[in-house]
Amino acid sequence: MFSTFDPLQGKRLTIMNESGEIVAPEWMPKLPDDKIVDAYKTMLYARIGDLKAVSYQRQGRLYTLPTNIGQEAAAVGSALALEKTDWMVPAYRELGAWLVKGATMRDYFFYFGGSEEGSRYPDGTRLLPVSVPITSQLTHAVGIGFASNYKGEKDVVITYFGDGGSSQGDFHEALNWAAVFSCPTIFFCNNNGYAISLPREKQTKSKTIAQKAIAYDMPGIQIDGNDLFAVYRATSEAVKYARDGNGPVLIEAITYRLGAHTTSDDPSRYRSAEEEKEWEAKDPLLRLRVWLEKKGLWDDAKEKDYSEEATSDIESQFAEFEQYKATPIEDIFKYTFEEMPDSLKEQMIEVRNHVNRMGG
Amino acid sequence: MFSTFDPLQGKRLTIMNESGEIVAPEWMPKLPDDKIVDAYKTMLYARIGDLKAVSYQRQGRLYTLPTNIGQEAAAVGSALALEKTDWMVPAYRELGAWLVKGATMRDYFFYFGGSEEGSRYPDGTRLLPVSVPITSQLTHAVGIGFASNYKGEKDVVITYFGDGGSSQGDFHEALNWAAVFSCPTIFFCNNNGYAISLPREKQTKSKTIAQKAIAYDMPGIQIDGNDLFAVYRATSEAVKYARDGNGPVLIEAITYRLGAHTTSDDPSRYRSAEEEKEWEAKDPLLRLRVWLEKKGLWDDAKEKDYSEEATSDIESQFAEFEQYKATPIEDIFKYTFEEMPDSLKEQMIEVRNHVNRMGG
Amino acid sequence: MAVMNLVQAINSALDLKLADDKNIVLFGEDAGFEGGVFRVTDGLQEKYGEKRVFDTPLAESVLIGAGIGMAVNGLRPICEIQFSGFMYPAFNQIISHVSRMRTRTRGMFSVPMVIRAPYGGGIRALEHHSESTEAIYGHIPGLKVVIPSTPYDAKGLLISAIEDNDPVLFLEPKKIYRAIKQDVPEEIYRIKIGKASVLQQGEQLTIVAYGAMSRVVQQAIQHAKKDGYSIELIDLRTIYPFDKQTIVESIRKTGRLLVVHEAARTFGVAAELMAIANEEAFLHLEAPPARVTGYDTVIPLPKGEDFYFPDAARVYEAIKKTIKF
Amino acid sequence: MAVMNLVQAINSALDLKLADDKNIVLFGEDAGFEGGVFRVTDGLQEKYGEKRVFDTPLAESVLIGAGIGMAVNGLRPICEIQFSGFMYPAFNQIISHVSRMRTRTRGMFSVPMVIRAPYGGGIRALEHHSESTEAIYGHIPGLKVVIPSTPYDAKGLLISAIEDNDPVLFLEPKKIYRAIKQDVPEEIYRIKIGKASVLQQGEQLTIVAYGAMSRVVQQAIQHAKKDGYSIELIDLRTIYPFDKQTIVESIRKTGRLLVVHEAARTFGVAAELMAIANEEAFLHLEAPPARVTGYDTVIPLPKGEDFYFPDAARVYEAIKKTIKF
Ligand SMILES: Cc1ncc(C[n+]2csc(CCOP(=O)(O)OP(=O)(O)O)c2C)c(N)n1
Ligand SMILES: Cc1ncc(C[n+]2csc(CCOP(=O)(O)OP(=O)(O)O)c2C)c(N)n1
Ligand SMILES: [Mg+2]
Ligand SMILES: [Mg+2]
């Protein structure tokens, strides 16, 4: 597959087009229908979760958070290609992927509600926490893959970053290391056209991000990131390639965030309504729904039912989060090191005493 | 030229082979004979300077220094392609290039003799000081090129780095920036096969460093770095390309340091005598001398005369350096800022008083 | 005069200097077209064009490194780092080159660069968006570090920073970006880098603070005044080279020192000022120099940050403790 | 017991721990095949194979960043940075991730990593090869910083660092790599991180030093002894979390403190210890806590470095001044 879709020749993998038609049946992944329905449900769940989070934020019940709307196929499709024991190293805009991997909306609310508890995922999730410093996490994914090789395990790693992130030095260093040491690491770029306000064309001069793989002699492929099938298929191929000991792969998924960069951002300042419209038509949920409906796997009633189910699930998780008022003082100190040094103990007591004095 | 020598196709520019024969006359640069003789002289001068420096170091009269032997064609040939007002941003192993640009052996001795005076080149030299933190200097070259564009000047910039240096994040960030802003910057990689002990094959998995240019949509070319004509021609093309407003170029010059990494290094620990022998036969001076002699432009007597002239010139510059005993206390402080803040004044007085007390 | 908040005052300084000197260029991630995520550079690209005010790729090391090259080749770069927590990828450029070029070349090349970044906490931000690591930068020889705490100071100090022929790290306390309004001259004026400002005169205790903490301390002092305490408040303004003279004179007068900063305690700015109190005013000390600071932990996410950042109550406690010693 | 210098003691610690725990991997630029530019890792690749002891590409950020990933996935990485002056490209990884992973994930993931680097000056080295920026690292919450000054300490501390489940920055004073020989046990032993060592007992003055400065101070003390002074010398060993108790007890006894380090003065380690003296022993102080340090300039190239680094004479002057105060 990787040699077929040479980014230098302008090739891009699309399996299902914007109208939900299969345009490259030869690449159609062999997914049972129920899995596809599940995938759609997860995408829908992620979308509802995202919209909910944004609205809670507007109400002042969560803090600044990134939006995910529009990128659900890339997130969910790539994560579905992993086994349970594989690792995931996220950036911050892959909600759907985290949900597949085992994180919950509760975690999401805690994190963007201002508590580190949100990064303590269920045991054994093999999901790293949100990484805010752009692209720094790619190096971690390389090391995880290295350790996997070292231990003779077959686990692979997927790591996410954005088009903007491809400019960072860590991108280069990570891909180079991964190639040199044949680390089973999949570098998944969510190219959503913007780094906050900066359009992709001003981020780098190369026509694709996928072609940057050539610098490391690793496969690089550009795919339609709003096409669940293309995302799933390409990631599966990459996972297999990596698991078979061939080393890393770079995937560039072309997508678009239909929302703002974060809840503090106003995209109308830097992109046109027409452009947004255009991309609304490419919505990854819409096209998959069309496909499912044509196959008789989905309908309005199911959409409504599942939306309600998801909404109430998400709301109850939010309610759980809202019980959490403030970080316990001890928690601020006790995870700095395995054992608390005297200096931190003294400081912790200082805070406690102060709070007590204030009658807090 | 850049499209002819596609690194992905294993193409490399050689004009004069190891035996001093012109194997690609169509690319032979139109250099007058006397210029070529001058180039050879500079290479010879650089070699003698380098050997001298190493021997002074062995005698304890200079501190640790890198060796240049074997890389003279890459250094001199590339620098000769520049105009006087062009800029040069070195790493630390391009003695021949610095000499062409206007630095002197005196500067070299001062710097590796432990005095910052060695980085104060003659006014207007447009040569930046040695950059020790690997690859960090590439970003400076990009900025200089940016400023050149900004001011509407036609000056280009050349910057040097090694095969090892290509792994650093700054390599990626610099090339990307240069391409995005069309900076007239020539990235000249001296691929001498090793980063201290690490062979090129373990540094990066790509077959060439030149192909990394594809990641930035800029021309990249691999050349025989021990062939003065190839170096001069490729750099001239790159200079013209950049000066014409087309943006940056990446050149990978294949060369070899015949000496140690630095005077503290013992290359026999990590490379074979056979390999060294092989490369001795590819000595850039040897082959140019053969060519010159065939053309009747050079002979043993000239070699002897010029070597003596160079040696005595270098020795007298070294003698000048050896008069310099210690950095004046004031110099340690006064260049920290344009104006010395009180804190530094106090500290300077503290040192002075102490030295006076000690009768120093 | 016009009423300005910190954002407006900084914008005004940038605007005036861009107009004044065509060698000044201003750039950063989203600093051009968008006018910065805090809108500090709003309108400047429109006014001065994309050539002089522009966006960069997302790469801080080359952002600063290219700035060095521009400076060497005659420009005066003003680099914006989106948040001070994202300056670290450029740390090597700052410590190895920005701050050393003049010494290294014995004055042949210098780096008249301003690095601007919003810094500090208290705005309920995401991880890495509340950093306060000024002590780290203050420890780097060859770098000046400035932190304003009022619109007036911000404008005057930034103009001085831009005109300075050496690199200046200009950290903007984002918590108070819009919190304080002040009458600020519309034209160019300068505040000397390296001079602290005595915000209040007092007899019993010298407090040194900077950035958003200046306000917190002022609140505490108001409280303390009611209780009859007389306190001198020095706004440090420049972290390096700091105004030893003003601080020492004040300590000699009051006999007591309290330093307040939101950064982690150990090896922080307060320690240095306490050391200076010892070296220069030991015999005047009537109580141990003291500090109220953040803690030696990672800065907590919003649900914990109120425990972390000094507030007026904590400062007030320390005031009483030091005066009553 | 065997006579070892610092290089041998460190090599021995690495050797024993590599033998002890197969999850330990050791890597760095030229650290594998070549055995390191200072030969500290000599023979280890031969003994443990390329899989466990290996060379990396020339890229410090991923060197540390990959180490984080390894740690998260069950390995115990020992990362060598060739010189501490080349750690800065990895600064973002260290301050943003190495030191924060445990807090960020509430203990789910930790980074049991050792970062080793030769540090400090006095060896007539090239630019950037004499750095001493321990105060910067000490100010980073979540990171331990250790600096040994003898072969015995180096081995015991390094073993503790390797066994520590948190990241430890282990700075090796390269000036004394081969300068001191000592009887060192051949087997595994541990020295607790966070405990200083009292090298000499005394009554009139407490001196705190570390790294190569410990020797310099010892020379000064010998001189001072002849003049009848009684001095207590504390080798700090751990920069963070440092041994406040030992230092404070000593100051309470002697009434005087002098801190010696080669790093730049302002915002350096000495300032913190002087602050601690105030906070914890103010009423015992008979003279102002003092410091002998490097200066706030770029570290000079060899022809100037003797003016920069504290020597026994400078320390001796300060001893006299503090005791006679
Ligand atoms: C090192 C660093 N620099 C700057 C930022 C501020 N920042 C946060 S998101 C962002 C844009 C990222 O763009 P991209 O990588 O395309 O990802 P996207 O947000 O589009 O998903 C920037 C500049 C950061 N988080 N880290
Ligand atoms: C950031 C950084 N890391 C490490 C070093 C130490 N070091 C000096 S030279 C060198 C190898 C450089 O190899 P290469 O780039 O191939 O250049 P060459 O020495 O072969 O000319 C290393 C690792 C350094 N100077 N800077
Ligand atoms: Mg993006
Ligand atoms: Mg090399």
Side-chain angles (χ1 to χ4, degrees), chain A residues 87 116-117 119-133 135-137 139-151 153 170 173-174 176-177 180-181 327 331-332 334-339 341-344 346, chain D residues 22-25 27 51-52 54-57 59-70 72-75 89 92-93 96-97 99 101-109 141-144 164-167 192 240-241 244-245 280:
Chain A
W87 288 83
E116 291 80 359
E117 286 296 317
S119 296
R120 174 149 64 183
Y121 307 119
D123 274 355
T125 307
R126 297 204 155 184
L127 169 63
L128 265 65
V130 162
S131 175
V132 173
T135 317
S136 55
Q137 71 278 6
T139 65
H140 312 163
V142 171
I144 291 174
F146 185 97
S148 180
N149 277 350
Y150 181 89
K151 296 187 285 180
E153 293 166 357
D170 275 345
E173 297 193 10
N176 190 53
W177 239 76
V180 164
F181 293 110
T327 305
D331 284 13
I332 293 174
K334 90 172 170 203
Y335 299 104
T336 309
F337 299 105
E338 188 178 41
E339 253 184 84
D342 290 344
S343 53
L344 284 183
E346 286 170 21
Chain D
K22 71 168 188 9
N23 286 323
I24 293 174
V25 286
F27 51 95
K51 194 180 150 189
R52 298 191 57 201
F54 57 94
D55 292 318
T56 64
E60 287 80 8
S61 184
V62 68
L63 202 167
I64 300 300
I68 295 170
M70 293 180 203
V72 161
N73 195 4
L75 304 188
N92 187 39
Q93 292 291 346
S96 300
H97 294 302
S99 60
M101 194 57 88
R102 182 186 289 278
T103 277
R104 180 180 294 149
T105 63
R106 290 304 186 235
M108 271 282 289
F109 296 122
L143 189 66
K144 297 182 183 176
D164 202 297
N165 284 329
D166 287 303
K192 201 167 150 41
Y240 189 89
K244 192 164 90 172
Q245 198 189 340
E280 305 283 339

Side-chain angles (χ1 to χ4, degrees), chain A residues 162-164 190 192-195:
Chain A
D163 45 315
N190 279 306
N192 60 8
Y194 290 86

Side-chain angles (χ1 to χ4, degrees), chain A residues 92-93 132 134 162-165 192 194-195 261, chain C residues 29 60 82 86:
Chain A
Y92 48 83
R93 200 192 300 286
V132 173
I134 300 289
D163 45 315
N192 60 8
Y194 290 86
H261 169 68
Chain C
E29 294 158 12
E60 287 80 8
Q82 200 162 83
F86 306 134

Side-chain angles (χ1 to χ4, degrees), chain B residues 193-253:
Chain B
Y194 290 87
I196 308 188
S197 69
L198 193 73
R200 156 66 188 83
E201 301 74 52
K202 297 193 170 181
Q203 189 66 244
T204 182
K205 226 189 133 205
S206 67
K207 272 165 227 73
T208 70
I209 288 167
Q211 78 195 60
K212 294 180 193 288
I214 295 169
Y216 318 100
D217 203 16
M218 71 168 74
I221 185 172
Q222 198 183 62
I223 63 172
D224 183 337
N226 284 8
D227 166 6
L228 179 84
F229 298 133
V231 173
Y232 178 81
R233 181 64 198 262
T235 314
S236 297
E237 297 270 344
V239 164
K240 183 172 170 2
Y241 182 91
R243 205 181 312 280
D244 288 350
N246 299 304
V249 176
L250 172 62
I251 297 175
E252 177 189 6

Side-chain angles (χ1 to χ4, degrees), chain B residues 328-330 346-360, chain D residues 295 306-307 311 313-314 317:
Chain B
I329 291 168
E330 202 185 342
E346 286 171 20
Q347 295 183 3
M348 185 172 73
I349 291 166
E350 191 183 308
V351 185
R352 270 223 201 96
N353 288 345
H354 177 68
V355 171
N356 288 342
R357 259 196 312 272
M358 296 295 108
Chain D
Y295 300 104
D306 289 343
F307 297 122
D311 56 19
R314 260 172 77 196
E317 290 289 325

Side-chain angles (χ1 to χ4, degrees), chain A residues 185-206:
Chain A
T185 306
I186 294 133
F187 298 97
F188 194 99
C189 178
N190 279 306
N191 175 355
N192 60 8
Y194 290 86
I196 309 186
S197 69
L198 193 72
R200 155 66 188 82
E201 301 72 53
K202 296 192 170 182
Q203 189 66 244
T204 182
K205 227 189 133 203
S206 66

Side-chain angles (χ1 to χ4, degrees), chain C residues 82-250:
Chain C
Q82 200 162 83
F83 286 84
S84 70
F86 306 134
M87 197 135 49
Y88 308 131
F91 194 73
N92 186 39
Q93 292 292 346
I94 294 171
I95 193 170
S96 300
H97 293 301
V98 169
S99 59
R100 298 190 194 194
M101 194 57 88
R102 181 186 289 278
T103 277
R104 180 180 294 149
T105 63
R106 289 303 186 238
M108 270 283 289
F109 296 121
S110 58
V111 180
M113 168 190 286
V114 176
I115 305 176
R116 290 181 40 246
Y119 101 104
I123 60 157
R124 308 270 182 244
L126 289 170
E127 221 185 332
H128 306 282
H129 289 71
S130 302
E131 303 282 294
S132 183
T133 46
E134 62 279 4
I136 289 178
Y137 299 105
H139 190 53
I140 299 177
L143 188 66
K144 297 182 184 176
V145 182
V146 169
I147 301 182
S149 73
T150 64
Y152 181 85
D153 283 4
K155 181 168 172 180
L157 285 165
L158 182 52
I159 287 170
S160 294
I162 296 171
E163 294 177 351
D164 202 297
N165 285 329
D166 287 303
V168 179
L169 176 61
F170 192 84
L171 296 172
E172 303 167 2
K174 65 174 103 72
K175 182 178 166 67
I176 54 171
Y177 257 158
R178 298 190 148 81
I180 316 171
K181 293 191 176 177
Q182 219 179 5
D183 263 339
V184 172
E186 282 167 281
E187 60 282 357
I188 286 188
Y189 63 92
R190 296 159 186 91
I191 294 177
K192 201 167 150 42
I193 291 175
K195 277 301 292 169
S197 106
V198 181
L199 290 185
Q200 302 200 19
Q201 308 256 353
E203 302 299 325
Q204 289 177 289
L205 168 66
T206 300
I207 303 187
V208 181
Y210 52 91
M213 286 300 119
S214 277
R215 287 194 89 204
V216 170
V217 172
Q218 277 167 306
Q219 289 157 15
I221 290 179
Q222 266 180 352
H223 208 70
K225 256 190 191 155
K226 287 191 202 128
D227 295 345
Y229 295 122
S230 166
I231 292 165
E232 181 140 316
L233 172 55
I234 297 176
D235 188 293
L236 194 56
R237 294 204 294 207
T238 298
I239 304 298
Y240 190 88
F242 62 81
D243 186 351
K244 192 163 90 172
Q245 198 189 338
T246 298
I247 297 168
V248 168
E249 274 169 19
S250 175

